[in-house]
Amino acid sequence: MKLIYDPSISTYDFGPGHPFRGDRFPLFIEFIRRREEPFEIVGHLGDPPSLEDLLAVHSSEYLNFIKRKSNMGYGMISMDTPVFRGMWEAAMSLVHSSLSVVRVALEEGLAFGFGGAHHAGINYGGGFCLINDIAVAARWAQRRGKVESVAIFDHDAHHGNGTMDIFYEDDSVLYISIHQDPTTIYPGVGFVRQVGKGKGEGFTVNIPLPLGAGPKSYQMAFEEVVKPIIESFSPDLLIAHGGSDPHFLDPLTQLGQTLSGLWSIGKWIFELKARFKAELLISGYHPEVRNWGWLSILRGCSDLEIDYNPLDIEGKAPVEDENVIRRSRLVVDDAKEILSRYWKIS
Ligand SMILES: [Zn+2]
């Protein structure tokens, strides 16, 4: 199974003291090489994104703004996203990464790599995101005539407000996200009632889980909402993305996932029916959990088992108690009621 990695993406780095450092990518590659994991590591493929590829998603004003800031080398894109010199080139490397993963997926059916800047919208950046590589890759595949329908399954702990906005009125791209309750975390949107607009109505699906939600809540959300909707949408291309930030040890989030729970997400992706599938990794703010979490997702996506308990953490997850399950049940039932206007879900 191919895992796309080019060292240039390590330049995507907000600097010392920031939770998002570019070393996460080479550290993970080193980690899986050391473990002799069965992934074939290959560099970026094909051309980097063209201006037309970027303009299919972002406004030219916004692209020029990022380029200008990148040359200046100081300032802020948003409160949590400082400017750094060369950020344009770094963002292009991340987009090239996602394009490469989708290129390989279209040839081989399934591919893995790095990307997932889901907070970047048509006209804005933030949440450590500059250019929405997921949206550019989805549009790239559509514009090349390679695929018509694309489903984006966002399993990051945060909601992908940028991706949602980009495709909010589009019925050719289904955006579906499981995330932490947006009243408790950035970016503060991603509610069940946000279902899309115009011809895109019904093609945005949000499942905001309560604090502490872990494997059981995720399973409920996946089996009762995500899976039936993706299967009835029947996408040509599925782009799934996320990372280790739903893990209970992640310092930026308050969910209750475990490594085996992250593995299950991967396994569900492996089992979903789509002609072409890509999995992109990016998030995770606890360095060791990130390596193990990313590996767990990739092993799930590759139909490989896991048998490790690193740092002796697996059995120490906080109990996903009745209260959490009951609140997840309410969210899932609410989502089913609202989305049953558009999809056959019982
Ligand atoms: Zn996240």
Side-chain angles (χ1 to χ4, degrees):
M1 217 54 72
K2 287 200 174 99
L3 172 63
I4 310 302
Y5 167 70
D6 185 282
S8 64
I9 59 165
S10 65
T11 58
Y12 198 94
D13 185 339
F14 293 96
H18 193 279
F20 198 105
R21 303 300 310 273
D23 62 359
R24 58 186 48 225
F25 307 113
L27 286 172
F28 179 66
I29 294 297
E30 209 182 290
F31 172 76
I32 60 167
R33 281 197 171 127
R34 217 171 35 235
R35 287 180 50 85
E36 300 180 356
E37 290 289 338
F39 302 107
E40 185 193 345
I41 295 158
V42 294
H44 290 170
L45 301 161
D47 292 332
S50 67
L51 182 60
E52 289 69 35
D53 295 330
L54 301 170
L55 285 170
V57 169
H58 295 283
S59 68
S60 60
E61 292 77 17
Y62 178 68
L63 295 174
N64 289 333
F65 165 74
I66 296 290
K67 259 189 220 167
R68 217 165 45 238
K69 288 284 181 189
S70 173
N71 289 331
M72 281 166 58
Y74 63 89
M76 301 297 275
I77 301 300
S78 71
M79 289 283 284
D80 57 10
T81 310
V83 170
F84 59 92
R85 195 176 294 279
M87 73 193 300
W88 172 262
E89 289 74 17
M92 287 306 106
S93 176
L94 197 71
V95 178
H96 198 180
S97 171
S98 296
L99 279 187
S100 304
V101 177
V102 166
R103 280 184 175 118
V104 174
L106 294 178
E107 281 175 13
E108 301 184 5
L110 178 62
F112 311 130
F114 303 111
H118 61 166
H119 299 304
I122 297 167
N123 254 320
Y124 59 88
F128 323 155
C129 300
L130 305 168
I131 304 291
N132 195 310
D133 54 291
I134 315 148
V136 174
R139 283 285 188 243
W140 178 88
Q142 287 183 318
R143 290 172 61 246
R144 294 295 183 290
K146 307 243 183 194
V147 302
E148 285 177 10
S149 56
V150 181
I152 297 172
F153 173 33
D154 183 339
H155 52 87
D156 190 272
H158 302 88
H159 177 257
N161 56 319
T163 314
M164 177 174 82
D165 287 353
I166 290 163
F167 298 116
Y168 208 59
E169 298 186 45
D170 191 323
D171 62 355
S172 71
V173 179
L174 169 69
Y175 174 70
I176 213 163
S177 176
I178 303 179
H179 47 270
Q180 183 176 321
D181 175 1
T183 62
T184 66
I185 196 169
Y186 180 88
V189 294
F191 297 99
V192 171
R193 280 172 175 71
Q194 294 179 287
V195 295
K197 200 174 136 190
K199 75 180 166 76
E201 194 177 327
F203 294 89
T204 290
V205 174
N206 289 309
I207 311 164
L209 293 178
L211 300 185
K216 288 184 189 141
S217 301
Y218 270 76
Q219 189 172 1
M220 201 190 293
F222 182 80
E223 283 179 356
E224 298 182 34
V225 185
V226 177
K227 185 178 179 203
I229 292 180
I230 291 184
E231 296 206 329
S232 82
F233 181 65
S234 182
D236 297 322
L237 168 65
L238 170 70
I239 304 177
H241 70 90
S244 68
D245 67 359
H247 193 275
F248 71 93
L249 284 175
D250 194 278
L252 295 196
T253 65
Q254 293 83 34
L255 288 166
Q257 269 294 16
T258 60
L259 294 179
S260 52
L262 293 173
W263 175 84
S264 296
I265 295 173
K267 180 83 175 173
W268 298 331
I269 293 163
F270 175 80
E271 287 168 355
L272 277 171
K273 290 185 200 86
R275 276 163 66 208
F276 312 113
K277 293 193 269 195
E279 167 66 29
L280 304 172
L281 298 167
I282 199 161
S283 75
Y285 304 96
H286 181 302
E288 282 142 316
V289 169
R290 184 174 62 233
N291 280 342
W292 290 104
W294 288 7
L295 175 62
S296 302
I297 295 169
L298 286 190
R299 289 191 69 95
C301 284
S302 316
D303 201 24
L304 298 167
E305 299 298 319
I306 58 169
D307 60 356
Y308 39 72
N309 182 14
L311 324 166
D312 193 26
I313 53 178
E314 265 312 75
K316 293 189 179 148
V319 180
E320 200 181 3
D321 65 21
E322 269 170 46
N323 200 27
V324 173
I325 306 266
R326 191 177 48 78
R327 292 171 64 198
S328 297
R329 168 50 60 207
L330 289 173
V331 173
V332 169
D333 284 349
D334 194 22
K336 283 162 75 176
E337 193 186 318
I338 289 171
L339 292 157
S340 61
R341 287 178 218 150
Y342 315 103
W343 304 97
K344 262 203 186 119
I345 41 175
S346 50

